[in-house]
């Protein structure tokens, strides 16, 4: 079945450090890939997405590239801030042509802590 | 657009009691999803609706769980005879679903803040 695997956390970084959170997936079709972020006390928010191989999603300084050959969608940011402290979820939606349920399959989440 | 609203935000109940959660999606969204999230885990799919029709249910959804979306607008998730293992955050999400092809914006789910259930 379809699945998403993320690197274990917590990830603790100093402000302005480089961030990578690894994500790999297993899917039988042609998934779209997403990163969602959950700030303390808030709901999940879409951070970025990519819909086909070699697409790069980007938002708020975060980037992730859809790598079909390695089935990966690693999240990166060049310089993290304290305000980036949150839980990050990688997710996929499998799409089959014109038929899709829109159902997201999530990884287990990676907690990022950024210290000043 | 007021986003996806969930009520109550937190419910504490005793084992064996029934609880009901409500979700109000974004008004023009015809698809509505329920997920469950336990501590340290990602959200797990429970069920989804397209308009008033419940189109898929996860095996996680035991017969003590029932969800409805009677008029294709708000939805309720009821848990009967709660057990301690039901303690979790219950998330609702909605989207403007369509039969659009890969990468359509229809697949961007908007989530509510969740309803946290604690079963004592």
């Amino acid at each position: 079945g379809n699945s998403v695997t993320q690197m274990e956390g917590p990830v603790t970084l100093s402000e302005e450090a480089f961030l990578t959170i690894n994500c790999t997936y297993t899917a039988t079709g042609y998934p779209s890939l997403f990163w969602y972020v959950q700030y303390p006390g808030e709901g999940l928010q879409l951070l970025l997405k990519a819909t086909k191989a070699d697409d790069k999603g980007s938002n708020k300084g975060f980037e992730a590239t859809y790598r079909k050959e390695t089935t990966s969608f690693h999240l990166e940011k060049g310089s993290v801030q304290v305000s980036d402290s949150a839980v990050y979820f990688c997710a996929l939606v499998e799409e089959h042509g014109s038929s899709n349920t829109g159902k997201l399959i999530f990884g287990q989440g990676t907690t990022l802590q950024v210290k000043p | 657009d007021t986003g996806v609203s969930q009520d109550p935000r937190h419910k504490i109940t005793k084992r064996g009691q029934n609880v009901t959660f409500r979700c109000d999606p974004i008004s023009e969204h015809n698809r509505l999803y329920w997920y469950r999230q336990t501590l340290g885990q990602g959200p797990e799919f429970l069920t989804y609706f397209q308009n008033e029709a419940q189109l898929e249910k996860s095996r996680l959804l035991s017969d003590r769980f029932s969800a409805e979306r009677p008029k294709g607008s708000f939805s309720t998730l009821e848990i009967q005879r709660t057990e301690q293992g039901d303690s979790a955050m219950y998330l609702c999400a909605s989207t403007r679903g369509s039969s659009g092809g890969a990468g359509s914006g229809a697949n961007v789910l908007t989530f509510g803040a969740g309803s946290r259930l604690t079963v004592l």
Side-chain angles (χ1 to χ4, degrees), chain A residues 2 4 15 18 35 41 53 60 63 70 72 79 81 83 85-86 107:
Chain A
N2 301 332
V4 176
E15 207 164 24
F18 184 84
W35 278 98
K60 299 181 181 179
E63 292 183 341
T70 54
S72 65
S79 177
Q81 305 300 311
S83 58
S85 297

Side-chain angles (χ1 to χ4, degrees), chain B residues 52-115:
Chain B
E52 65 276 11
Q54 188 174 17
L55 297 185
E56 186 174 341
K57 295 198 295 186
S58 163
R59 285 172 291 179
L60 292 174
L61 214 64
S62 77
D63 55 9
R64 296 184 298 104
F65 287 69
S66 62
E68 294 182 343
R69 194 182 183 199
K71 297 182 179 178
S73 57
F74 73 91
S75 175
T76 57
L77 176 68
E78 181 183 17
I79 309 173
Q80 296 182 324
R81 305 181 302 281
T82 52
E83 302 173 355
Q84 288 184 326
D86 297 331
S87 296
M89 179 76 86
Y90 290 86
L91 302 174
C92 178
S94 69
T95 190
R96 187 183 300 114
S98 74
S99 59
S104 73
N107 285 334
V108 176
L109 270 59
T110 301
F111 282 83
S115 293

Side-chain angles (χ1 to χ4, degrees), chain A residues 6 21 23 34-36 46-48 64 73 75 88-90:
Chain A
Q6 294 180 230
I21 300 178
C23 170
F34 303 80
W35 278 98
Y36 277 80
L46 177 68
L47 182 58
L48 53 84
F73 193 55
L75 182 68
Y88 293 81
F89 293 92
C90 186

Side-chain angles (χ1 to χ4, degrees), chain A residues 30 32 34 36 38 41-44 46 49 51 89 93 95 97-109, chain B residues 9 31 33 35 37 40-43 45 48 56 91 98-105 107-113:
Chain A
Y30 309 99
S32 292
F34 303 80
Y36 277 80
Q38 189 171 37
E42 298 184 16
L44 285 162
L46 177 68
K49 69 173 186 176
T51 59
F89 293 92
V93 168
E95 302 187 52
S98 62
S99 172
N100 70 77
T101 66
K103 181 176 73 178
L104 281 167
I105 296 170
F106 287 89
Q108 73 271 33
Chain B
R9 292 292 306 275
R31 284 189 177 175
Y33 302 78
Y35 284 80
Q37 185 179 16
Q41 299 298 316
F45 170 79
Y48 96 97
E56 186 174 341
L91 302 174
S98 74
S99 59
S104 73
N107 285 334
V108 176
L109 270 59
T110 301
F111 282 83

